[in-house]
Amino acid sequence: MSGNGDAAATAEENSSKMRVIRVGTRKSQLARIQTDSVVATLKALYPGLQFEIIAMSTTGDKILDTALSKIGEKSLFTKELELALERNEVDLVVHSLKDLPTVLPPGFTIGAICKRESPYDAVVFHPKFVGKTLETLPEKSVVGTSSLRRAAQLQRKFPHLEFKSIRGNLNTRLRKLDELQEFSAIILAAAGLQRMGWQNRVGQILHPEECMYAGALGVEVRAKDQDVLDLVGVLHDPETLLRCIAERAFLRHLEGGCSVPVAVHTAMKDGQLYLTGGVWSLNGADSMQETMQATIHVPAQHEDGPEDDPQLVGITARNIPRRAQLAAESLGISLATLLLNKGAKNILDVARQLNDAH
């Protein structure tokens, strides 16, 4: 056999031995696009590995006739994916961080948080209302959203509008908006619309003073799978990671899930991390909002972290300085404590009871 033939045979043998990393995702088009982008980055970093994407439906994808806040299950969009992780059917899962509860089931951790894209919500209008804003929509116009957080904040800001639950993936919601005469507009994450290539449908961007929102992509792995943790750890974006630790610490301390209107927003400027958090009653009439800040050093590049692997709010980031992570967590807890001391618990308890009763 010629030398070339030997080389080809060796290459073929190596490729058949190439390690396959199985990546879990939801089946929706947006979830696939998000997962494809993470896998593309990993492929570029690890050309010697193969990646196989395994898509599955979650409880949240199947129950489409009930508002998210009524289903009473915290892991609506993650449970089936976590089961696959637990059974070793997949090695990692790509999520929208907002779908991941602030307390993860034992044995799992968020091994990477990718660089945050647009952190804002966007308004998509029915074709007959193109050119309008929420402010200029007619009295009693119905606006669709799947989130209590959005509905409560916007109800307070735009009392002339009515907010109603709309479910389904992005394609389904846009179809409901365009084809049914039920909704004048719907609220969606700007980053999701961007990833789908639907920027032209964005009629209005909602800034934090109108509607606070904090989205990012996270990669969940088995907490003890050190190989995979090392593999995905390079995806951590230091600034986004520290902001997410502060946000998740705030939400966890307030026990903010889908069934209560709690929202948070962060900004990093000149070494200061600014955290704004708020709670609302279901109709937005009662609300409480505060901002705190802390000095946090964001490493310019990945630094060696601690040798052990303690999680903070479900996140493992060994290559980001521990001191910065603890400062971010402390900021989140301090802001939540401040709101609780000012009476936020009453607002949330009433919101929870009303949500359960309806």
Side-chain angles (χ1 to χ4, degrees):
M1 193 185 268
S2 70
N4 279 352
D6 287 346
T10 309
E12 198 177 319
E13 204 176 298
N14 287 344
S15 73
S16 67
K17 288 179 185 166
M18 203 183 261
R19 184 174 173 197
V20 177
I21 303 293
R22 299 152 305 163
V23 183
T25 177
R26 287 167 61 195
K27 277 185 175 170
S28 76
Q29 190 185 349
L30 176 59
R32 288 302 303 260
I33 288 171
Q34 291 175 168
T35 302
D36 287 346
S37 74
V38 171
V39 168
T41 307
L42 288 172
K43 274 182 177 168
L45 289 165
Y46 304 107
L49 294 177
Q50 279 187 330
F51 292 86
E52 179 191 349
I53 296 174
I54 298 169
M56 56 193 84
S57 294
T58 64
T59 308
D61 295 314
K62 292 169 191 162
I63 306 175
L64 293 176
D65 56 353
T66 311
L68 289 179
S69 58
K70 306 283 186 210
I71 301 172
E73 163 66 67
K74 278 191 177 170
S75 313
L76 276 179
F77 295 105
T78 59
K79 201 173 186 174
E80 286 76 3
L81 293 159
E82 284 173 340
L83 270 175
L85 257 184
E86 191 174 22
R87 292 177 186 145
N88 215 5
E89 294 162 1
V90 297
D91 301 300
L92 57 103
V93 176
V94 179
H95 296 286
S96 288
L97 214 53
K98 64 178 174 52
D99 293 335
L100 276 173
T102 52
V103 179
L104 297 183
F108 302 114
T109 188
I110 298 164
I113 291 178
C114 305
K115 188 172 175 62
R116 178 170 273 164
E117 293 174 38
S118 169
Y120 304 119
D121 279 326
V123 189
V124 178
F125 291 91
H126 186 282
K128 70 180 177 193
F129 291 119
V130 166
K132 296 270 190 193
T133 63
L134 288 181
E135 206 156 5
T136 59
L137 276 177
E139 191 85 20
K140 301 276 185 220
S141 291
V142 176
V143 177
T145 171
S146 61
S147 153
L148 282 184
R149 167 189 65 77
R150 289 170 175 148
Q153 290 180 81
L154 294 171
Q155 189 77 75
R156 182 176 180 83
K157 197 85 182 165
F158 306 102
H160 70 293
L161 301 176
E162 291 179 4
F163 292 86
K164 191 175 170 186
S165 173
I166 185 170
R167 294 288 320 285
N169 59 38
L170 252 60
N171 310 56
T172 306
R173 289 189 219 183
L174 280 175
R175 197 169 60 247
K176 284 180 180 176
L177 172 68
D178 292 343
E179 293 175 9
L180 308 176
Q181 296 306 308
E182 190 178 355
F183 298 100
S184 303
I186 58 175
I187 314 292
L188 299 165
L193 288 162
Q194 226 165 295
R195 290 184 192 119
M196 295 284 275
W198 292 341
Q199 299 92 317
N200 63 327
R201 289 302 308 264
V202 175
Q204 182 179 0
I205 290 286
L206 296 171
H207 292 286
E209 54 278 9
E210 296 166 308
C211 192
M212 282 192 274
Y213 170 63
L217 289 184
V219 180
E220 188 179 18
V221 302
R222 289 179 290 273
K224 289 198 164 78
D225 195 338
Q226 199 52 57
D227 272 5
V228 176
L229 267 169
D230 291 343
L231 185 86
V232 302
V234 294
L235 298 174
H236 270 309
D237 175 66
E239 182 180 313
T240 307
L241 168 87
L242 294 170
R243 290 169 65 178
C244 286
I245 286 176
E247 292 158 6
R248 286 174 70 81
F250 171 79
L251 294 170
R252 178 191 273 192
H253 206 65
L254 280 178
E255 292 180 29
C258 281
S259 59
V260 285
V262 175
V264 65
H265 172 74
T266 48
M268 189 77 81
K269 196 179 175 192
D270 303 329
Q272 294 288 308
L273 176 57
Y274 295 86
L275 179 69
T276 301
V279 301
W280 289 261
S281 58
L282 287 188
N283 63 2
D286 282 342
S287 79
M288 193 176 286
Q289 204 170 304
E290 292 288 346
T291 299
M292 288 178 94
Q293 69 193 78
T295 303
I296 291 184
H297 163 65
V298 179
Q301 57 193 44
H302 292 229
E303 300 174 12
D304 288 333
E307 280 311 300
D308 53 350
D309 238 353
Q311 295 185 32
L312 285 184
V313 286
I315 299 166
T316 300
R318 295 182 66 175
N319 48 4
I320 306 294
R322 183 77 177 159
R323 192 168 54 184
Q325 294 186 55
L326 287 168
E329 183 192 43
S330 173
L331 178 62
I333 292 169
S334 299
L335 183 62
T337 304
L338 175 66
L339 286 177
L340 288 169
N341 289 342
K342 294 181 91 172
K345 191 174 185 308
N346 292 344
I347 295 175
L348 292 177
D349 285 347
V350 171
R352 206 173 270 116
Q353 286 160 9
L354 284 173
N355 185 54
D356 291 346
H358 283 103

